Amino acid sequence: MKNLIAFWLLLQTSSIAAQPVLSITPMPVDVKMGKGNLLVSKNTQLVVESRELEHTASMLQEYLKINYGLVLKTSKKNNIPNAIVLKIDNKTNSIDGAYKLVADRSGLYITGSNEAAVFYGIQTLLQIIQTEPITNSKHTTIQIPFVSIDDYPRFQYRGMHLDVGRHFFPVSFIKKYIDYLATYKYNTFHWHLTEDQGWRIEIKKYPKLTETGSCRDRTLIGRYGGTNYDNTRYCGYYTQEQVKEIVQYATDRYINVVPEIEMPGHSTAALASYPSLGCTKGPYKVMDTWGVLEDVYCAGNDSTFNFLQDVLDEVMQLFPSKYIHIGGDECPKERWKKCPACQQRIKDNQLKDEHALQSYFIQRIEKYLHSKGRNIIGWDEILEGGLAPNATVMSWRGEEGGIEAAQQNHDVIMTPGSHCYLDHSQSKNEDSLTIGGYLPLEKVYAYEPVPPVLTKDQAKHILGAQGNVWTEYMNYPSKVEYMIFPRMQALSEVLWTPSIKKSWTDFERRLPGLMQKLKKAGINYSAAYYDLKATILPAEKAGELVYKLESKDKQLTIQYTKDGNFAAGKAYQSPIQIDQSNTITAATFKDGLQISNALTQEFKFNLATGKKISLVNEAHKSYPGDGAFTLVNGVQNEKKLARSAEFLGFLGKDLDALIDLNTLTDIQSVKLHVLDQNGSWIYLPSQIEITYLPDTDLTDAIIEQAPKEIKQIDPIKEKGISLITINSQQKCRYLHIVARNYGNIPSGNPGAGNPAWLFVDEIEVN
Ligand code: ACM
Ligand code: ZN
């Protein structure tokens, strides 16, 4: 009896304990907090009411054991007090994936409309446990707040994609990726398995697909368009046994794996393996650089279709998914235009053109897959030339394709580049190479997958959305993690949470906790959201600067230091006044914990810094910097960074500046900080002319008589320099500086005949 009372006491703590604000992502439909906490101990029983839930229950047990050292016994018996009860009951809410989680004095109950729903309830449970996971010692109890949660998903398709063609990721990472999806209640893993740069799935009937197609001889270094290669052979593919293992792993987590077998484009790895599949018959090679390639499957030969049907037969054996993704994007028509077999096919089928041939291709494959009980998904190019009857469209080139498909009563998955391409940069100042673009976290969060132009009935065709992860510039797992986190957490809320419940403010509140959890689990992520925005402004007093710092999250504090040591630094209250050379390091903090990356800015003062400056020609609107002031803001661009935001760019025009040194000043030298990058049409000036003006009214006569210095520059001889120095022994108040634009780009150079750019970032006067 005494034991029982002790046990009962253990199950609840005082009702006056402060209640936490729960942090669940994606935010549930409805959360009602109670007062008090449920304590779960090794005496707590796990009651599994339906056989189908046994595996899910064992995963929960495993999780509690690994993370909390807590081993729960299972029971099938009902009505055990203070148990964790898992149950399927679709009477209360029949929506696919709907669950109810109740924690109160009597125990914890997760009731779902189906197995997946109970799994989602468990994912929520794992996020509300108030006890820290163990590090070395075991817990005897874990604490769960009294709460009642009603929840269900907004969209039926909640997807994340991964391209394993450009870079290959091991089975262990694919499982981790699936775990990430499960945690945030995604239900679809779109596995992009074939590409120009590698065929990654074993097909028994066509062994060369992996013998030849899974290896490339080398890989491009740096951004697309470059000419450096690593000269390292790069290989990788999944055996059918591994594919089965991954599909089972995902199925256990209620995640459907949609395989993508690309056609007719992005197929050179297959062509390199079986050259007869192409229009020219080769030779082809597995590609070593990125982009869109002209060699595609020949649409004229039946052997292409026989091959693809054989491949798809094996794919269907491995993947139970109702959907098979057949690609369809970025298929140039150059080869088809010149191929007799393709032209014959156009003629025989009275097709209008090569776009109609693409439509024929997709429809033929669609018909085959449909006859086997499967449906296709294709990128939005499959609209061109007419949609296949049962096709679902993945809208990636914006939302237009999706809108058009929905208006034709076809199902749609929204993946517009503008909001869903997680390969795009998260910061304008990205610290590692990405494909480019700019997709900040808050833009992903703000995404609304249902375009307002659709009628209510058409809108029903928007099944959901998906984050796409193309891996040209992600060659190891931690880079993938960096690119998806925290944006896939934001997207999970787009997909799950009713739009009226979505709250950026609340997501922003949860974000540090989400990051902290990732950090503890050793998962990489981007903290770009917390990057400080810095602005340098002229101070009221000539010769001084003002350094303004802003955080997007206004709840965070900003600290700064002049010696790199935050502990001895200051809290930022208002813009910092700077009157001498200095290096300022700043970061955002929450509860004493550093949240953002440190931002370091070096200021180098000279006689012109912070002085009044005016320009005759304004900089081009593409490179405006912060106006004329940019040239005297104390920031001297480091050559290796050459951040374009810190330069003024003049297209075909001269730099013509007047600086007021505020008082009569002795001058030894004037230095112009410039950029010489002929490949980008940027040239050194051909001449610099400096006039030293006295401290009087600047009449024409005075200007005419003032001392002048002229320096000629040979931009071809002086290649690559970033500093032009003019030595002067002068006394003046005003400096008139003219840097002549190079003029038209000489022949034999990129951009020949066009006006050259002149890029200047600082005028230094000593
Ligand atoms: C795509 O991004 N080419 C679908
Ligand atoms: Zn052909």
Side-chain angles (χ1 to χ4, degrees):
M1 187 60 190
K2 210 171 155 194
N3 264 349
L4 244 186
I5 291 169
F7 176 44
W8 187 83
L9 284 173
L10 212 58
L11 275 162
Q12 51 193 338
T13 56
S14 155
S15 60
I16 40 178
Q19 281 302 297
V21 180
L22 292 188
S23 292
I24 306 165
T25 304
M27 166 100 89
V29 173
D30 187 50
V31 179
K32 286 191 184 74
M33 296 297 301
K35 272 192 187 154
N37 291 287
L38 179 68
L39 291 182
V40 173
S41 75
K42 65 181 182 352
N43 295 321
T44 307
Q45 302 234 23
L46 181 58
V47 177
V48 186
E49 288 208 0
S50 340
R51 260 196 80 89
E52 312 94 283
L53 293 174
E54 275 171 14
H55 188 69
T56 300
S58 71
M59 290 199 316
L60 172 60
Q61 276 176 306
E62 188 66 16
Y63 181 91
L64 294 177
K65 192 171 139 194
I66 291 171
N67 286 282
Y68 300 99
L70 203 55
V71 180
L72 301 188
K73 289 185 208 65
T74 52
S75 166
K76 286 195 180 65
K77 263 195 288 174
N78 216 329
N79 300 323
I80 296 177
N82 308 313
I84 294 179
V85 183
L86 306 180
K87 186 173 160 181
I88 293 175
D89 175 6
N90 59 13
K91 285 190 281 296
T92 39
N93 191 339
S94 63
I95 296 174
D96 181 9
Y99 70 90
K100 190 170 174 73
L101 183 155
V102 177
D104 60 20
R105 272 167 212 289
S106 66
L108 184 127
Y109 307 86
I110 297 175
T111 312
S113 64
N114 54 18
E115 292 165 57
V118 174
F119 183 79
Y120 300 142
I122 289 173
Q123 298 316 306
T124 296
L125 166 64
L126 303 184
Q127 292 189 32
I128 62 172
I129 294 173
Q130 298 299 306
T131 310
E132 284 292 307
I134 48 170
T135 42
N136 40 40
S137 66
K138 282 186 177 183
H139 288 296
T140 47
T141 59
I142 57 170
Q143 188 174 311
I144 296 159
F146 288 166
V147 70
S148 172
I149 298 173
D150 260 305
D151 202 10
Y152 51 86
R154 178 176 172 203
F155 289 104
Q156 58 175 282
Y157 185 107
R158 304 181 299 279
M160 279 289 289
H161 151 283
L162 184 67
D163 164 19
V164 297
R166 274 53 175 266
H167 283 103
F168 175 80
F169 301 93
V171 171
S172 57
F173 180 68
I174 302 296
K175 287 183 177 173
K176 272 192 189 173
Y177 197 79
I178 289 167
D179 285 339
Y180 303 154
L181 270 57
T183 300
Y184 299 102
K185 302 188 175 87
Y186 283 83
N187 66 355
T188 308
F189 170 42
H190 171 175
W191 201 4
H192 183 81
L193 284 162
T194 70
E195 254 306 333
D196 295 311
Q197 293 80 9
W199 182 283
R200 307 281 178 222
I201 175 172
E202 179 190 25
I203 300 296
K204 305 259 192 210
K205 193 163 180 181
Y206 298 99
K208 283 188 197 160
L209 284 173
T210 41
E211 283 165 20
T212 302
S214 72
C215 290
R216 59 179 180 255
D217 286 337
R218 56 179 196 169
T219 304
L220 181 76
I221 296 174
R223 198 179 285 282
Y224 175 64
T227 51
N228 287 336
Y229 292 85
D230 64 4
N231 297 321
T232 305
R233 197 165 157 82
Y234 186 92
C235 301
Y237 72 91
Y238 305 96
T239 64
Q240 293 204 350
E241 282 313 305
Q242 289 173 324
V243 169
K244 282 183 207 160
E245 186 185 328
I246 284 166
V247 169
Q248 187 57 50
Y249 191 86
T251 306
D252 288 344
R253 286 151 185 81
Y254 302 95
I255 287 170
N256 180 43
V257 186
V258 176
E260 181 179 352
I261 305 296
E262 267 269 27
M263 62 188 80
H266 286 293
S267 303
T268 45
L271 302 189
S273 312
Y274 295 97
S276 67
L277 295 170
C279 291
T280 65
K281 313 300 174 203
Y284 305 106
K285 67 167 184 177
V286 182
M287 282 313 296
D288 46 21
T289 182
W290 322 123
V292 174
L293 298 156
E294 290 185 353
D295 285 309
V296 302
Y297 288 118
C298 177
N301 287 315
D302 281 343
S303 57
T304 302
F305 293 94
N306 295 337
F307 163 82
L308 286 170
Q309 287 173 11
D310 290 343
V311 167
L312 290 169
D313 281 345
E314 291 191 33
V315 166
M316 283 186 280
Q317 287 273 320
L318 296 167
F319 294 91
S321 172
K322 176 175 95 167
Y323 294 116
I324 307 286
H325 202 304
I326 49 77
D329 62 317
E330 298 180 324
C331 177
K333 308 294 186 290
E334 311 312 314
R335 295 288 180 267
W336 291 357
K337 282 180 188 161
K338 296 199 179 106
C339 170
C342 286
Q343 290 305 314
Q344 192 60 43
R345 176 86 72 197
I346 288 177
K347 221 169 168 184
D348 291 349
N349 292 274
Q350 290 147 29
L351 303 173
K352 189 166 142 257
D353 55 13
E354 288 74 20
H355 291 287
L357 183 58
Q358 154 124 352
S359 177
Y360 167 90
F361 197 115
I362 301 295
Q363 297 212 22
R364 186 161 163 176
I365 294 293
E366 190 272 340
K367 199 169 162 192
Y368 181 73
L369 287 172
H370 201 63
S371 75
K372 307 280 174 184
R374 309 296 180 104
N375 289 343
I376 66 159
I377 301 177
W379 300 109
D380 57 46
E381 285 93 331
I382 68 167
L383 278 152
E384 293 166 12
L387 264 184
N390 300 290
T392 294
V393 171
M394 209 166 244
S395 191
W396 73 280
R397 296 174 302 172
E399 293 189 316
E400 293 73 18
I403 291 169
E404 196 183 327
Q407 286 169 342
Q408 292 179 32
N409 291 322
H410 280 257
D411 285 345
V412 171
I413 295 148
M414 285 296 190
T415 66
S418 57
H419 292 79
C420 295
Y421 267 48
L422 306 188
D423 54 341
H424 291 185
S425 292
Q426 296 167 79
S427 155
K428 286 190 173 163
N429 224 348
E430 200 64 78
D431 56 9
S432 64
L433 189 61
T434 75
I435 204 162
Y438 177 51
L439 178 52
L441 178 66
E442 57 275 32
K443 189 171 178 189
V444 175
Y445 191 89
Y447 184 51
E448 169 47 56
V450 181
V453 298
L454 297 181
T455 65
K456 217 171 165 185
D457 280 337
Q458 289 164 350
K460 287 183 190 146
H461 287 293
I462 309 295
L463 303 184
Q466 173 176 289
N468 287 344
V469 183
W470 302 102
T471 59
E472 286 94 332
Y473 304 100
M474 301 178 210
N475 51 358
Y476 42 92
S478 66
K479 182 70 185 280
V480 172
E481 292 172 348
Y482 172 86
M483 296 305 285
I484 67 171
F485 289 118
R487 291 184 294 187
M488 70 89 83
Q489 295 162 321
L491 187 64
S492 78
E493 208 141 307
V494 171
L495 293 167
W496 182 280
T497 309
S499 52
I500 54 155
K501 287 291 276 197
K502 257 176 81 190
S503 157
W504 170 255
T505 313
D506 195 71
F507 186 79
E508 196 182 49
R509 172 188 70 78
R510 281 173 275 146
L511 190 55
L514 286 167
M515 289 183 176
Q516 203 56 23
K517 232 178 189 167
L518 292 169
K519 195 170 191 164
K520 279 187 184 156
I523 300 167
N524 200 12
Y525 61 89
S526 166
Y529 178 68
Y530 295 112
D531 282 356
L532 281 167
K533 180 170 179 261
T535 322
I536 305 163
L537 300 161
E540 250 171 56
K541 188 171 167 203
E544 296 190 3
L545 304 172
V546 164
Y547 190 44
K548 189 175 162 199
L549 295 167
E550 289 165 284
S551 163
K552 283 184 193 168
D553 184 342
K554 304 297 178 212
Q555 308 300 313
L556 303 179
T557 57
I558 301 172
Q559 306 242 52
Y560 71 97
T561 162
K562 291 182 179 170
D563 63 4
N565 176 13
F566 283 120
K570 287 188 188 166
Y572 175 92
Q573 307 288 359
S574 57
I576 307 164
Q577 206 77 16
I578 302 172
D579 59 7
Q580 58 181 336
S581 292
N582 242 319
T583 298
I584 294 186
T585 303
T588 52
F589 288 77
K590 187 184 171 88
D591 306 329
L593 208 72
Q594 185 177 335
I595 301 286
S596 72
N597 293 324
L599 174 72
T600 298
Q601 181 65 65
E602 186 177 3
F603 295 95
K604 289 185 179 162
F605 268 61
N606 60 72
L607 296 172
T609 307
K611 301 285 165 64
K612 265 204 197 103
I613 179 169
S614 58
L615 290 176
V616 173
N617 303 316
E618 265 185 49
H620 191 272
K621 63 178 188 317
S622 300
Y623 300 99
D626 292 319
F629 173 69
T630 309
L631 301 177
V632 292
N633 68 0
V635 177
Q636 296 178 6
N637 214 299
E638 285 173 62
K639 195 179 167 197
K640 65 177 183 341
L641 292 175
R643 292 201 178 105
S644 62
E646 288 165 13
F647 282 92
L648 295 190
F650 300 89
L651 181 59
K653 286 187 185 159
D654 301 338
L655 163 80
D656 188 337
L658 185 71
I659 300 174
D660 178 359
L661 297 173
N662 208 40
T663 172
L664 204 58
T665 308
D666 279 318
I667 288 175
Q668 253 98 55
S669 68
V670 176
K671 295 178 182 178
L672 208 62
H673 293 247
V674 291
L675 187 66
D676 185 34
Q677 217 169 72
N678 298 170
S680 313
W681 306 18
I682 303 167
Y683 280 73
L684 296 176
S686 55
Q687 177 188 294
I688 295 178
E689 188 182 309
I690 303 180
T691 313
Y692 304 91
L693 298 158
D695 189 9
T696 53
D697 277 348
L698 298 178
T699 61
D700 286 351
I702 294 218
I703 293 172
E704 199 62 33
Q705 287 159 19
K708 240 186 223 287
E709 213 123 21
I710 294 179
K711 185 182 173 104
Q712 305 291 342
I713 295 145
D714 184 342
I716 306 303
K717 268 202 201 134
E718 311 226 23
K719 244 183 193 356
I721 64 162
S722 55
L723 199 60
I724 302 169
T725 304
I726 293 109
N727 289 314
S728 33
Q729 299 293 333
Q730 300 284 350
K731 209 178 178 73
C732 68
R733 158 110 190 232
Y734 303 95
L735 273 171
H736 181 208
I737 301 168
V738 179
R740 299 261 174 241
N741 188 293
Y742 180 83
N744 282 351
I745 297 171
S747 64
N749 293 284
N754 288 292
W757 285 96
L758 168 64
F759 265 53
V760 186
D761 89 274
E762 195 77 350
I763 299 172
E764 183 182 341
V765 179
N766 296 298

